[in-house]
């Protein structure tokens, strides 16, 4: 039985006019996840624009610029719930100049829905979206082959695109790829099964999202607890209480576990795991808890409690795949603040190893300038060690962001190689 409180995050990506906004509108509309006043507002806007029915894309294209141009620019988050699951949708842009928005929207997703126009097949934008999804280690990809109504619901057209996509996904590290032929405009295979494509035996999109197994997406092996703050209430009831509060990044912690505090290397045993509701026997990601230890150890924000027999690497020299997010290019050997879990340090980009041409996926080791939307492999040096895992093993302890100290803007996001 599925836990109806389980949250699934998915991101949508596709080329301009592939129908992302219409698809999300259809999902919300057919699953009855839209408030009546929203529906009335959109019905009247659709009439003003001269549409016969409801323009489903208006449910998501909230920015006025987008409504006027009919394109998605920013990352729009939408929330909806069915009896089986809760969902957060990150609707990300398709344009090449918005690569950074796609990286931002997809970084926490369980599933990436990549739309392909049935008339055009796999194009360069599709390859780019598939590459970013694999780079971000999104565990599941659903390729929705949209606008099937415009190719007469042809099974051959569908099979052709499936083989095109499989030839590129075979070169990428994606574990689970599924294909669904849909018409977002007419609703075929979105929430309800299509009457026009009896040759397709799989489930519609919503049923696939509701039943997809995502519990194993979280790393349950490597126990990592970044400390956010130290709790010392010193009240009558908790005179000697010293708890280390934070969110479990991965793995499972239990009472009496032998743990090591990094980077100091001191060891102890877990005395208790406390939550707002009271003590619990175990904590797992993404629970927020307070852990107390048997021994008095000097622990502060940015330290990490790990299991003694399974430690991350503590390093000041790290290699990351970096996506540059800022309008201003990277300054050579400039100092940035690097944020990794609850740990903030000063850091410098020592070397740009290569940049990736996002269209051909080829490496360019000549061009070393980092500009907006560039994705590159870089070497970073930090002032103090960070407790890191590779991003492939652990999406929480394997990710970093860089912040410009002068403007306080987030300039880059990175994945530890």
């Amino acid at each position: 039985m599925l836990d109806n409180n389980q949250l699934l995050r998915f991101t949508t990506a596709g080329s301009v006019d592939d129908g992302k906004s219409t698809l999300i509108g259809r999902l919300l509309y057919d699953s009855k996840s839209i408030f009546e006043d929203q529906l009335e507002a959109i019905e009247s806007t659709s009439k003003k624009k001269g549409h016969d029915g409801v323009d489903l894309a208006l449910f998501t294209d909230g920015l006025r610029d987008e409504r006027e141009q009919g394109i998605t620019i920013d990352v729009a988050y939408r929330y909806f719930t069915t009896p089986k699951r809760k969902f957060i949708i990150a609707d990300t842009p398709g344009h090449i100049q918005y690569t950074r928005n796609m990286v931002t929207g997809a970084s926490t997703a369980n599933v990436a829905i990549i739309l392909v126009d049935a008339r055009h097949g796999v194009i360069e934008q599709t390859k780019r979206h598939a590459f970013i999804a694999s780079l971000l280690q999104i565990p599941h990809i659903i390729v929705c082959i949209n606008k099937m109504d415009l190719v007469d619901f042809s099974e051959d057209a569908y099979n052709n695109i499936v083989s095109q996509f499989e030839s590129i996904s075979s070169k990428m590290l994606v574990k689970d790829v599924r294909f669904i032929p849909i018409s977002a405009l007419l609703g075929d295979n979105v929430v309800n099964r299509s009457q026009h494509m009896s040759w397709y035996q799989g489930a519609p999109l919503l049923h696939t999202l509701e039943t997809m197994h995502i519990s194993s997406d979280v790393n349950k092996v490597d126990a990592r607890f970044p400390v956010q703050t130290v709790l010392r209430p010193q009240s009558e009831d908790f005179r000697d209480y010293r708890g280390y509060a934070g969110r479990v990044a991965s793995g499972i912690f239990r009472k009496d576990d032998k743990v090591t505090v990094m980077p100091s290397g001191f060891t102890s045993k877990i005395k208790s795991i406390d939550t707002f509701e009271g003590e619990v026997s175990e904590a797992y990601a993404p629970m927020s808890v307070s852990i107390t230890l048997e021994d008095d150890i000097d622990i502060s924000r940015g330290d990490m409690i790990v299991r003694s027999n399974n430690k991350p690497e503590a390093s000041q020299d790290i290699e990351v795949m970096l996506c540059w997010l800022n309008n201003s290019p990277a300054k050579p050997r400039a100092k940035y603040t690097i944020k990794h879990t609850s740990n903030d340090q000063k850091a410098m980009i020592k070397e740009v190893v290569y940049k990736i041409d996002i269209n051909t996926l080829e490496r360019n080791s000549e061009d070393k300038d980092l500009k907006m939307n560039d994705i590159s492999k870089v070497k970073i040096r930090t002032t103090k060690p960070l407790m890191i895992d590779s991003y492939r093993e652990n999406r929480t302890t394997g990710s970093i962001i860089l912040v410009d100290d002068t403007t306080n803007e987030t300039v880059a996001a990175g994945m530890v190689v």
Side-chain angles (χ1 to χ4, degrees):
M1 190 176 131
L2 280 161
D3 172 9
N4 70 338
N5 285 320
Q6 193 179 40
L7 175 67
L8 181 141
R9 295 169 181 267
F10 68 90
T11 180
T12 56
S15 190
V16 179
D17 292 337
D18 276 350
K20 294 190 305 298
S21 300
T22 305
L23 174 63
I24 295 168
R26 174 61 68 189
L27 263 177
L28 299 173
Y29 187 65
D30 283 5
S31 62
K32 312 277 191 291
S33 303
I34 294 163
F35 295 118
E36 277 185 23
D37 57 340
Q38 276 180 303
L39 191 55
E40 283 166 14
I42 282 161
E43 279 171 347
S44 72
T45 309
S46 301
K47 270 191 193 135
K48 278 182 204 156
K49 286 185 152 194
H51 296 299
D52 293 339
V54 176
D55 182 356
L56 296 167
L58 296 177
F59 288 124
T60 54
D61 287 346
L63 298 174
R64 188 171 294 246
D65 282 355
E66 296 183 11
R67 286 195 175 179
E68 286 166 6
Q69 294 179 48
I71 61 166
T72 305
I73 298 174
D74 210 338
V75 182
Y77 291 96
R78 292 287 173 275
Y79 307 84
F80 75 104
T81 306
T82 70
K84 292 184 180 168
R85 225 174 222 166
K86 293 175 182 169
F87 297 95
I88 297 180
I89 314 167
D91 180 21
T92 63
H95 275 73
I96 188 161
Q97 67 262 41
Y98 303 123
T99 300
R100 61 176 185 165
N101 301 60
M102 185 181 167
V103 169
T104 309
S107 56
T108 54
N110 305 93
V111 181
I113 295 177
I114 297 178
L115 268 86
V116 178
D117 189 319
R119 299 166 301 172
H120 304 145
V122 171
I123 57 172
E124 285 204 336
Q125 297 269 62
T126 318
K127 292 178 187 172
R128 195 159 53 82
H129 295 140
F131 170 70
I132 292 172
S134 74
L135 185 71
L136 291 167
Q137 294 288 310
I138 298 176
H140 312 277
I141 289 180
I142 301 174
V143 181
C144 283
I145 297 163
N146 191 21
K147 307 197 179 180
M148 288 299 292
D149 51 311
L150 301 180
V151 292
D152 296 328
F153 302 102
S154 157
E155 186 177 2
D156 288 343
Y158 167 76
N159 288 335
N160 187 23
I161 292 169
V162 169
S163 61
Q164 282 176 26
F165 193 91
E166 282 176 339
S167 71
I168 59 164
S169 65
S170 61
K171 300 176 191 136
M172 297 174 186
L173 298 163
V174 184
K175 301 173 196 134
D176 176 25
V177 183
R178 308 177 191 204
F179 299 90
I180 305 177
I182 65 166
S183 166
L185 192 66
L186 303 178
D188 291 76
N189 283 338
V190 179
V191 172
N192 304 312
R193 186 174 285 286
S194 170
Q195 304 299 313
H196 300 105
M197 292 179 275
S198 52
W199 46 264
Y200 172 72
Q201 296 301 306
L205 176 62
L206 183 61
H207 185 265
T208 305
L209 291 169
E210 284 180 330
T211 55
M212 186 171 269
H213 178 71
I214 57 168
S215 301
S216 55
D217 293 351
V218 179
N219 180 328
K220 293 196 174 73
V221 178
D222 305 312
R224 307 282 186 259
F225 184 75
V227 175
Q228 288 184 16
T229 188
V230 181
L231 300 179
R232 298 289 311 278
Q234 295 180 333
S235 62
E236 283 298 321
D237 298 338
F238 299 97
R239 175 96 25 219
D240 298 317
Y241 187 88
R242 179 193 281 269
Y244 307 105
R247 174 184 272 190
V248 180
S250 59
I252 301 170
F253 289 90
R254 295 184 178 89
K255 199 173 169 175
D256 296 328
D257 274 355
K258 288 182 180 167
V259 292
T260 299
V261 178
M262 293 185 72
S264 66
F266 289 119
T267 58
S268 186
K269 274 170 80 174
I270 293 180
K271 185 172 165 187
S272 71
I273 301 172
D274 303 309
T275 70
F276 187 70
E277 281 79 29
E279 194 176 331
V280 292
S281 58
E282 63 176 33
Y284 46 86
M287 285 172 67
S288 293
V289 297
S290 167
I291 290 178
T292 66
L293 302 178
E294 299 277 0
D295 306 275
D296 270 346
I297 299 174
D298 182 17
I299 300 176
S300 55
R301 178 182 171 86
D303 290 351
M304 191 180 283
I305 298 173
V306 301
R307 248 204 244 103
S308 296
N309 60 356
N310 175 342
K311 298 177 192 166
E313 181 191 351
S315 178
Q316 286 177 262
D317 289 292
I318 55 178
E319 289 195 355
V320 298
M321 293 300 295
L322 201 69
C323 178
W324 196 258
L325 308 173
N326 201 258
N327 288 314
S328 308
K331 298 185 278 289
R333 303 189 80 77
K335 294 246 183 349
Y336 296 99
T337 294
I338 187 168
K339 290 179 176 282
H340 171 262
T341 64
S342 58
N343 196 349
D344 294 2
Q345 302 293 345
K346 292 287 180 271
M348 180 176 74
I349 299 172
K350 271 200 339 186
E351 183 191 345
V352 177
V353 183
Y354 60 77
K355 276 173 41 171
I356 289 176
D357 184 320
I358 205 81
N359 296 318
T360 63
L361 305 188
E362 286 172 358
R363 296 174 179 183
N364 179 348
S365 46
E366 304 298 312
D367 180 5
K368 301 290 174 97
D369 293 332
L370 290 185
K371 298 186 286 295
M372 188 161 75
N373 295 319
D374 280 346
I375 291 178
S376 56
K377 185 178 183 181
V378 302
K379 292 181 177 176
I380 291 176
R381 171 92 181 169
T382 63
T383 47
K384 289 183 184 167
L386 299 180
M387 283 63 77
I388 54 168
D389 297 289
S390 80
Y391 185 81
R392 188 179 304 166
E393 297 296 322
N394 196 323
R395 285 171 84 186
T396 306
T397 54
S399 56
I400 59 107
I401 61 170
L402 295 180
V403 176
D404 185 322
D405 290 343
T406 52
T407 61
N408 216 21
E409 288 179 346
T410 301
V411 292
M415 293 141 280
V416 178
V417 179

